[in-house]
Amino acid sequence: MFKKNEAIMEILPDPVFIIDRNGKYLDYIAKPHEKLAIPRNIIIGKTIFDTPMTDKDKKKTKEIIENSLDNQKSYFYEYSFPNDTGGRKYYEGWVVPINNDEVLFLARDITLDKEHKKFLKEAKEAAEMSDRAKSKFLANTNHELRTPLTVIMGAAETLIGTDLTPEQKGFAETIRNYGKSLLSMINNILDVTKIESGMKKLEEEPFNIRTLMDNLMSGLRIKADKKNLKFKCKIDDRIPAILLGDQVCVKQIVFNLVGNAIKFTEKGRVEISIEHLRIEDDFINMKITVEDTGIGISEDDYEKIFNPFSQANSSIHKKYGGTGLGLTISKKIIEEMNGKIEVESKIGRGSKFIVVLPLKYLK
């Protein structure tokens, strides 16, 4: 049968064998330039157990041949041989049944592919290590970045309180206002780098979600009122009085989401709801929903908005400003807390961000 198909076999790029159920080589074709090419009289009549495969690969090959014949199905698998330099050459075997007792066995050399993948994996790990080192460096320069800027802003504030001409006062206020923007950006960048470098440690302390939200909403309500937005927060009565977790992180998540909602909503409403989903063992799954009637987000941009320094499009950045780090930070913190965040939105119809956080609670 093999001779009848020899013309077809010769156009295949890889060595081809005919092997019986017992693992015996019945026939073999390879291109003259094939590195695996061996004289036919050396391999014909031998079995897979005569090859330099590992015992594990020999056993695996035998089982695959039997399964292929018994089930009349094709199988792919990987095996290896030692090479001349003490290393190994890797092959992909394709076993195809041609009758009830014999299989067609194609052997493809994948050593270069394996080496390439190994190189890419090592390069990726090196790049990730470098990123972590840079993130750690930035996180460690926290004091060096913030302190000079805080001094500049304080000096500008002091200067504004002195006897200045209107023009001089305007310059001082510009320094103060842009200093605040720059400090906010630095704080956001440092938050991201702390998380990425593993330097941000989650705390577990008791807190009252109602007290936390009352304190947070008072400041955000002022921003909403300036834009004449309807602003309300509803908390499920079933949520335990005392939760255990990192309240600073919870506060930052809500602050970022609500701050964005107010920022991108020109009219209408911004609503926050905190619901009790379910209790699992010692955890409560708390659902935080922030909904607005703002500009909305296209479905194609759902993933993009969580990337660092990204906003849905450049026109949004020009109009509203910001670093685009708020959602990145929130998502990273949520994932660190073993939670999840989702978005539902349509252009011009507003947005809804849904966060689910597992938190311990005091019984």
Side-chain angles (χ1 to χ4, degrees):
M1 180 174 178
F2 186 73
K3 295 298 182 183
K4 292 179 182 179
N5 295 287
E6 190 166 328
I8 297 175
M9 300 306 165
E10 286 183 342
I11 67 172
L12 294 173
D14 304 305
V16 182
F17 304 86
I18 298 292
I19 306 177
D20 69 11
R21 181 180 288 273
N22 296 317
K24 180 193 252 186
Y25 292 98
L26 304 179
D27 213 333
Y28 160 56
I29 282 187
K31 300 288 186 299
H33 63 275
E34 256 297 338
K35 290 184 180 179
L36 189 64
I38 347 171
R40 294 180 75 255
N41 63 334
I42 291 180
I43 196 167
I44 302 305
K46 298 291 194 302
T47 73
I48 56 174
F49 298 101
D50 298 317
T51 68
M53 282 188 199
T54 63
D55 290 341
K56 182 179 177 180
D57 280 343
K58 290 174 184 177
K59 182 180 177 182
K60 185 177 181 181
T61 303
K62 180 71 162 52
E63 288 174 353
I64 287 175
I65 291 172
E66 290 175 348
N67 289 337
S68 179
L69 291 171
D70 292 341
N71 301 316
Q72 289 295 295
K73 287 175 60 178
S74 300
Y75 290 90
F76 280 100
Y77 80 108
E78 189 178 302
Y79 63 98
S80 66
F81 286 118
N83 62 20
D84 297 335
T85 60
R88 300 199 73 79
K89 288 186 71 66
Y90 293 88
Y91 292 89
E92 183 179 73
W94 183 21
V95 181
V96 183
I98 54 177
N99 55 43
N100 291 327
D101 295 303
E102 299 171 352
V103 298
L104 189 72
F105 187 100
L106 283 79
R108 171 162 294 177
D109 189 339
I110 58 170
T111 305
L112 289 179
D113 289 342
K114 295 275 286 187
E115 290 174 350
H116 181 60
K117 287 177 182 177
K118 182 183 178 185
F119 171 79
L120 290 178
K121 182 174 181 290
E122 290 174 349
K124 180 175 179 289
E125 289 173 350
E128 288 172 347
M129 187 179 295
S130 175
D131 282 343
R132 285 193 295 270
K134 285 185 287 185
S135 293
K136 192 170 184 179
F137 169 76
L138 278 174
N140 283 328
T141 58
N142 184 333
H143 177 75
E144 287 77 3
L145 288 171
R146 284 187 174 130
T147 301
L149 190 53
T150 303
V151 172
I152 291 170
M153 290 167 56
E157 195 70 50
T158 303
L159 194 58
I160 291 169
T162 63
D163 186 17
L164 300 175
T165 66
E167 184 179 25
Q168 290 170 333
K169 188 174 182 180
F171 289 148
E173 287 175 344
T174 298
I175 294 171
R176 180 192 63 187
N177 294 337
Y178 276 92
K180 285 182 178 179
S181 297
L182 184 56
L183 183 60
S184 175
M185 182 187 298
I186 288 173
N187 286 336
N188 284 338
I189 292 171
L190 289 174
D191 279 337
V192 172
T193 54
K194 275 185 178 180
I195 296 169
E196 290 179 343
S197 64
M199 294 182 66
K200 189 176 184 69
K201 304 299 181 184
L202 295 177
E203 302 292 335
E204 188 173 288
E205 55 187 356
F207 70 95
N208 187 309
I209 188 65
R210 293 167 182 83
T211 303
L212 184 149
M213 292 304 295
D214 284 344
N215 294 335
L216 185 59
M217 290 301 103
S218 59
L220 290 168
R221 191 178 298 279
I222 295 172
K223 294 183 178 181
D225 288 345
K226 284 182 180 179
K227 302 180 77 172
N228 295 316
L229 300 175
K230 293 180 181 178
F231 187 69
K232 66 178 183 179
C233 175
K234 182 180 178 182
I235 301 177
D236 193 332
D237 292 336
R238 295 174 299 165
I239 294 178
I242 303 298
L243 299 172
L244 293 173
D246 195 318
Q247 63 175 317
V248 174
C249 286
V250 174
K251 186 175 181 179
Q252 188 170 16
I253 291 165
V254 177
F255 181 83
N256 287 344
L257 294 179
V258 178
N260 271 359
I262 295 171
K263 179 180 179 181
F264 296 117
T265 303
E266 298 301 329
K267 60 180 181 178
R269 61 184 172 82
V270 173
E271 295 180 357
I272 307 102
S273 67
I274 300 179
E275 302 170 71
H276 169 286
L277 284 185
R278 62 189 178 278
I279 290 177
E280 296 177 356
D281 299 325
D282 294 329
F283 288 84
I284 176 177
N285 284 283
M286 188 173 72
K287 178 182 177 184
I288 304 169
T289 303
V290 178
E291 187 171 6
D292 64 61
T293 55
I295 60 176
I297 307 160
S298 72
E299 193 170 343
D300 292 339
D301 289 324
Y302 282 4
E303 289 298 321
K304 182 179 178 182
I305 60 173
F306 292 107
N307 293 332
F309 304 102
S310 291
Q311 290 174 334
N313 57 58
S314 58
S315 63
I316 290 176
H317 176 71
K318 289 177 183 176
K319 182 174 181 179
Y320 295 97
T323 62
L325 281 173
L327 287 177
T328 302
I329 293 167
S330 297
K331 187 172 187 289
K332 288 181 180 293
I333 292 174
I334 290 164
E335 289 173 348
E336 283 288 309
M337 297 177 74
N338 297 317
K340 63 180 181 178
I341 181 170
E342 297 176 352
V343 58
E344 298 173 6
S345 185
K346 289 184 178 179
I347 293 291
R349 300 282 295 277
S351 302
K352 181 191 290 186
F353 285 86
I354 303 158
V355 176
V356 176
L357 291 176
L359 293 169
K360 290 183 179 180
Y361 67 99
L362 291 183
K363 298 179 181 179

Short mmCIF file of all heavy atoms in Angstrom, two decimals, residues 342-362:
data_model
loop_
_atom_site.label_atom_id
_atom_site.label_comp_id
_atom_site.label_asym_id
_atom_site.label_seq_id
_atom_site.Cartn_x
_atom_site.Cartn_y
_atom_site.Cartn_z
N GLU A 342 -16.98 45.42 35.90
CA GLU A 342 -17.57 45.34 34.57
C GLU A 342 -18.14 46.71 34.21
O GLU A 342 -18.42 47.53 35.10
CB GLU A 342 -18.70 44.30 34.54
CG GLU A 342 -18.23 42.88 34.81
CD GLU A 342 -19.39 41.89 34.87
OE1 GLU A 342 -20.56 42.35 34.85
OE2 GLU A 342 -19.13 40.67 34.95
N VAL A 343 -18.32 46.93 32.92
CA VAL A 343 -18.89 48.19 32.46
C VAL A 343 -20.02 47.92 31.47
O VAL A 343 -19.93 47.00 30.66
CB VAL A 343 -17.81 49.11 31.83
CG1 VAL A 343 -17.12 48.42 30.65
CG2 VAL A 343 -18.40 50.43 31.38
N GLU A 344 -21.08 48.70 31.59
CA GLU A 344 -22.19 48.67 30.63
C GLU A 344 -22.41 50.11 30.19
O GLU A 344 -22.59 50.99 31.03
CB GLU A 344 -23.47 48.12 31.27
CG GLU A 344 -23.35 46.69 31.76
CD GLU A 344 -24.59 46.24 32.54
OE1 GLU A 344 -25.57 47.03 32.59
OE2 GLU A 344 -24.57 45.13 33.09
N SER A 345 -22.38 50.35 28.90
CA SER A 345 -22.48 51.74 28.45
C SER A 345 -22.86 51.83 26.98
O SER A 345 -22.66 50.88 26.21
CB SER A 345 -21.13 52.45 28.67
OG SER A 345 -21.23 53.82 28.35
N LYS A 346 -23.42 52.98 26.61
CA LYS A 346 -23.69 53.30 25.22
C LYS A 346 -23.37 54.77 25.01
O LYS A 346 -23.61 55.61 25.90
CB LYS A 346 -25.16 53.02 24.87
CG LYS A 346 -25.51 51.55 24.79
CD LYS A 346 -26.95 51.35 24.33
CE LYS A 346 -27.29 49.87 24.22
NZ LYS A 346 -28.70 49.66 23.81
N ILE A 347 -22.85 55.08 23.84
CA ILE A 347 -22.50 56.47 23.53
C ILE A 347 -23.74 57.35 23.68
O ILE A 347 -24.80 57.08 23.13
CB ILE A 347 -21.94 56.59 22.09
CG1 ILE A 347 -20.59 55.88 21.98
CG2 ILE A 347 -21.80 58.05 21.68
CD1 ILE A 347 -19.48 56.55 22.74
N GLY A 348 -23.57 58.43 24.47
CA GLY A 348 -24.65 59.39 24.66
C GLY A 348 -25.74 58.94 25.60
O GLY A 348 -26.69 59.68 25.88
N ARG A 349 -25.63 57.72 26.16
CA ARG A 349 -26.69 57.19 27.02
C ARG A 349 -26.21 56.93 28.45
O ARG A 349 -26.94 56.37 29.26
CB ARG A 349 -27.21 55.88 26.42
CG ARG A 349 -27.79 56.00 25.02
CD ARG A 349 -29.17 56.59 25.05
NE ARG A 349 -30.09 55.70 25.73
CZ ARG A 349 -30.69 54.65 25.15
NH1 ARG A 349 -30.44 54.37 23.87
NH2 ARG A 349 -31.53 53.91 25.83
N GLY A 350 -24.98 57.33 28.75
CA GLY A 350 -24.47 57.13 30.10
C GLY A 350 -23.72 55.81 30.27
O GLY A 350 -23.63 54.99 29.35
N SER A 351 -23.18 55.61 31.47
CA SER A 351 -22.38 54.44 31.78
C SER A 351 -22.76 53.86 33.13
O SER A 351 -23.26 54.57 34.01
CB SER A 351 -20.88 54.79 31.80
OG SER A 351 -20.47 55.33 30.56
N LYS A 352 -22.51 52.58 33.27
CA LYS A 352 -22.71 51.90 34.55
C LYS A 352 -21.49 51.03 34.83
O LYS A 352 -21.17 50.14 34.04
CB LYS A 352 -23.98 51.04 34.51
CG LYS A 352 -24.25 50.32 35.84
CD LYS A 352 -25.35 49.27 35.68
CE LYS A 352 -26.70 49.90 35.47
NZ LYS A 352 -27.78 48.87 35.47
N PHE A 353 -20.81 51.30 35.93
CA PHE A 353 -19.68 50.49 36.36
C PHE A 353 -20.13 49.64 37.54
O PHE A 353 -20.72 50.16 38.50
CB PHE A 353 -18.49 51.36 36.75
CG PHE A 353 -17.78 51.95 35.57
CD1 PHE A 353 -18.22 53.15 35.00
CD2 PHE A 353 -16.69 51.31 35.01
CE1 PHE A 353 -17.57 53.69 33.91
CE2 PHE A 353 -16.04 51.84 33.90
CZ PHE A 353 -16.49 53.04 33.35
N ILE A 354 -19.85 48.34 37.46
CA ILE A 354 -20.29 47.39 38.48
C ILE A 354 -19.07 46.70 39.07
O ILE A 354 -18.29 46.07 38.35
CB ILE A 354 -21.25 46.34 37.89
CG1 ILE A 354 -22.44 47.05 37.23
CG2 ILE A 354 -21.71 45.37 38.95
CD1 ILE A 354 -23.15 46.21 36.20
N VAL A 355 -18.91 46.84 40.37
CA VAL A 355 -17.78 46.24 41.08
C VAL A 355 -18.32 45.24 42.10
O VAL A 355 -19.28 45.53 42.82
CB VAL A 355 -16.96 47.32 41.81
CG1 VAL A 355 -15.84 46.67 42.64
CG2 VAL A 355 -16.39 48.32 40.83
N VAL A 356 -17.71 44.06 42.14
CA VAL A 356 -18.06 43.08 43.16
C VAL A 356 -16.80 42.79 43.98
O VAL A 356 -15.78 42.40 43.43
CB VAL A 356 -18.61 41.77 42.55
CG1 VAL A 356 -18.87 40.74 43.65
CG2 VAL A 356 -19.89 42.04 41.77
N LEU A 357 -16.90 43.03 45.29
CA LEU A 357 -15.76 42.83 46.19
C LEU A 357 -16.12 41.81 47.27
O LEU A 357 -17.14 41.95 47.95
CB LEU A 357 -15.37 44.14 46.88
CG LEU A 357 -14.77 45.24 46.02
CD1 LEU A 357 -14.56 46.49 46.88
CD2 LEU A 357 -13.45 44.81 45.39
N PRO A 358 -15.29 40.78 47.44
CA PRO A 358 -15.49 39.86 48.56
C PRO A 358 -14.81 40.43 49.80
O PRO A 358 -13.61 40.69 49.80
CB PRO A 358 -14.80 38.57 48.08
CG PRO A 358 -13.74 39.03 47.12
CD PRO A 358 -14.20 40.33 46.54
N LEU A 359 -15.58 40.66 50.86
CA LEU A 359 -15.03 41.24 52.08
C LEU A 359 -15.44 40.41 53.28
O LEU A 359 -16.57 39.89 53.34
CB LEU A 359 -15.55 42.67 52.27
CG LEU A 359 -15.09 43.72 51.25
CD1 LEU A 359 -15.91 45.00 51.43
CD2 LEU A 359 -13.62 44.01 51.39
N LYS A 360 -14.54 40.27 54.23
CA LYS A 360 -14.89 39.61 55.46
C LYS A 360 -15.79 40.53 56.28
O LYS A 360 -15.83 41.74 56.06
CB LYS A 360 -13.63 39.26 56.27
CG LYS A 360 -12.79 38.16 55.66
CD LYS A 360 -11.60 37.82 56.56
CE LYS A 360 -10.76 36.70 55.95
NZ LYS A 360 -9.61 36.37 56.82
N TYR A 361 -16.49 39.98 57.24
CA TYR A 361 -17.36 40.80 58.08
C TYR A 361 -17.40 40.24 59.49
O TYR A 361 -17.11 39.06 59.72
CB TYR A 361 -18.77 40.86 57.49
CG TYR A 361 -19.53 39.55 57.51
CD1 TYR A 361 -20.47 39.27 58.50
CD2 TYR A 361 -19.28 38.58 56.55
CE1 TYR A 361 -21.15 38.07 58.52
CE2 TYR A 361 -19.97 37.37 56.55
CZ TYR A 361 -20.90 37.13 57.55
OH TYR A 361 -21.57 35.93 57.58
N LEU A 362 -17.75 41.12 60.43
CA LEU A 362 -17.87 40.68 61.82
C LEU A 362 -19.29 40.19 62.05
O LEU A 362 -20.26 40.88 61.78
CB LEU A 362 -17.57 41.85 62.76
CG LEU A 362 -16.11 42.32 62.79
CD1 LEU A 362 -15.96 43.42 63.83
CD2 LEU A 362 -15.17 41.18 63.12
#
